[in-house]
Amino acid sequence: MILLTGGTGFLGGSFYLDAIKNGTAADCLLLIRGADEAACRARLATNLMRCVDRATAQAYADLCQIIPGDLQSLATSTDPRLDAVTHIVHVAADTSFDSRHSVWQINVDGTLALAARARRMKHLQRFLHIGTAFCCGETPWLEMVEEAPAPGHDTPHIVEYTRSKAAAERALAAGFPDLPIVVCRPSIVVGHTAMGVRPSASIFWFFRLVDRTGVLPCSPDGFIDIVPVDWASARLHDLLRKPELKHNLYHISAGLGSRTTWSDFQAAFAAHGHEGTRPYSFFDPKGPEGWKPFDRAFRLAFPQRDILHRTMMAGGRKYHRFTAQDIAFDNSRLLAEGFTPPPRFADYIGVCLTNPGTTIAEQFVDDAASFEFDELLSSNAEAPAGSPATAAA
């Protein structure tokens, strides 16, 4: 039996869809927050409706087993199904960029509670812990980052999310060396090669914003590491099922062969007719003007001053601190296992732009809760067409 956490999220949801396709959904036990099993199945079906129609989503939600609860509740759970678990896929995480208590409570304390319960699973064969490639911190620049143990607590990080994920890895290594843990670190997971951004527009809105504004706090010779969710979830299935693995740590990343240079990035958007500002200009955020080049370009492209666009500007700045690193993540370990290499971002960007074809601001709502000013976005997002919150971006 496979215990899956985070099954109602982007990557976890894709993993569950893969399980349906390969006939293993009945073997999946999903940990889902909810008052009871019916509420949990309804929540799962709602997430699946981003990919399939309502009737199919409800049918898919009925295929698996459900354990209502959260990560903390697992530590004391006496549900006998947990004793039959042979594999764990731990995707659940708080990905908020704000310095919220829940980031540490879920990503560190929750992970350790799951590990404590896993220690009592007598049939456990493999425990996939899904981290993030950006646990490396903010220090690398213009590098191909190789797999290495999570850096120490004094490493600078852009957001608490990546800091907490690094801390979780260190805590697992120190406290649970007896568990069969394999750490999987996805890079930037964006879109789906067949469904575009129907499952989630997370981060893709930012890439469109980059092209619209035409400014980057990067080197013209830099690059970015982007992979589609369906490829990433398929590799998790590979890592879960392969009898013998050479390592206990893998990047789920584009790597040297599929990383995207900024010249390829802007060419791909141009090739699909996206409204952009090209050629791109590059600036140094540590220079005398700081972030002013981005601020000017954003206000020119998005003159609206409502809460949605103010939040989007804050989010754009935050994401740009990641792009400013100009790094990619070595995936040679993954490829050496014989797994399918990742597609290039340019190969599926057209699907993301057309499916669904919505504005940048509308797509941003998928990520808005990760940033400041998000408390009013739900009502703003539902404003009628033509209102400041939904004006064409």
Side-chain angles (χ1 to χ4, degrees):
M1 182 174 292
I2 302 168
L3 174 62
L4 172 64
T5 74
T8 58
F10 183 32
L11 181 56
S14 183
F15 182 93
Y16 180 60
L17 279 174
D18 285 344
I20 294 169
K21 293 174 184 176
N22 64 32
T24 59
D27 295 328
C28 290
L29 174 63
L30 272 63
L31 175 71
I32 300 177
R33 287 182 288 110
D36 51 34
E37 184 174 324
C40 293
R41 289 197 189 278
R43 187 177 171 207
L44 177 60
T46 297
N47 185 64
L48 292 169
M49 278 192 289
R50 302 195 70 159
C51 303
V52 296
D53 62 77
R54 179 183 297 273
T56 302
Q58 291 174 341
Y60 283 178
D62 287 338
L63 294 176
C64 63
Q65 299 184 54
I66 299 282
I67 179 168
D70 57 21
L71 291 169
Q72 297 284 2
S73 69
L74 284 180
T76 56
S77 175
T78 57
D79 192 311
R81 294 175 296 176
L82 291 172
D83 296 324
V85 168
T86 57
H87 296 76
I88 295 174
V89 183
H90 176 38
V91 190
D94 185 332
T95 59
S96 170
F97 279 14
D98 287 348
S99 299
R100 298 175 180 173
H101 174 67
S102 62
V103 170
W104 289 86
Q105 186 178 52
I106 294 172
N107 298 348
V108 180
D109 297 343
T111 294
L112 297 182
L114 172 60
R117 184 62 181 87
R119 187 172 266 164
R120 306 201 305 273
M121 296 175 182
K122 297 180 180 179
H123 305 290
L124 186 64
Q125 299 172 25
R126 189 161 294 166
F127 181 149
L128 294 191
H129 170 70
I130 315 306
T132 173
F134 283 95
C135 72
C136 62
E138 193 176 10
T139 306
W141 182 70
L142 275 176
E143 287 184 22
M144 181 63 67
V145 180
E146 297 182 352
E147 289 96 338
H153 68 276
D154 56 344
T155 300
H157 282 264
I158 297 170
V159 293
E160 288 302 291
Y161 164 64
T162 59
R163 188 189 305 277
S164 70
K165 295 298 276 186
E169 285 193 24
R170 294 195 304 270
L172 285 174
F176 300 90
D178 52 314
L179 290 181
I181 295 174
V182 176
V183 175
C184 308
R185 295 177 181 166
S187 56
I188 305 173
V189 182
V190 174
H192 188 287
T193 59
M195 291 187 282
V197 294
R198 276 179 56 201
S200 174
S202 179
I203 307 180
F204 187 69
W205 66 269
F206 170 69
F207 292 155
R208 291 182 64 192
L209 182 150
V210 169
D211 188 60
R212 178 67 66 84
T213 58
V215 295
L216 280 162
C218 309
S219 165
D221 301 320
F223 37 81
I224 190 168
D225 195 306
I226 307 166
V227 294
V229 69
D230 48 319
W231 176 83
S233 62
R235 300 296 73 77
L236 295 183
H237 276 274
D238 288 341
L239 289 166
L240 189 70
R241 294 297 188 185
K242 189 173 183 182
E244 298 292 335
L245 294 173
K246 299 181 180 68
H247 305 278
N248 61 7
L249 170 60
Y250 294 86
H251 281 150
I252 313 297
S253 61
L256 181 63
S258 297
R259 67 185 181 180
T260 301
T261 65
W262 294 120
S263 58
D264 289 341
F265 185 96
Q266 66 177 310
F269 273 103
H272 291 281
H274 187 254
E275 182 183 349
T277 303
R278 309 180 195 95
Y280 294 171
S281 60
F282 298 84
F283 71 95
D284 182 1
K286 297 179 181 178
E289 282 203 298
W291 285 94
K292 289 181 180 179
F294 168 74
D295 295 345
R296 288 194 296 266
F298 183 92
R299 293 189 179 106
L300 182 63
F302 307 97
Q304 303 93 329
R305 292 295 177 267
D306 55 85
I307 193 169
L308 179 66
H309 287 82
R310 286 161 50 210
T311 306
M312 190 165 71
M313 185 176 182
R317 267 201 186 202
K318 187 73 75 172
Y319 274 139
H320 261 318
R321 288 184 62 187
F322 287 96
T323 64
Q325 291 181 268
D326 279 318
I327 58 176
F329 302 93
D330 181 50
N331 65 1
S332 57
R333 286 186 179 184
L334 194 73
L335 299 183
E337 296 287 355
F339 302 150
T340 303
R344 295 169 59 251
F345 181 53
D347 294 337
Y348 70 98
I349 188 175
V351 182
C352 292
L353 284 169
T354 59
N355 197 4
T358 54
T359 69
I360 296 173
E362 287 168 338
Q363 291 182 345
F364 167 67
V365 173
D366 274 355
D367 277 348
S370 293
F371 305 104
E372 296 175 340
F373 310 128
D374 67 289
E375 64 275 3
L376 299 180
L377 285 177
S378 294
S379 57
N380 275 270
E382 295 170 0
S387 68
T390 58

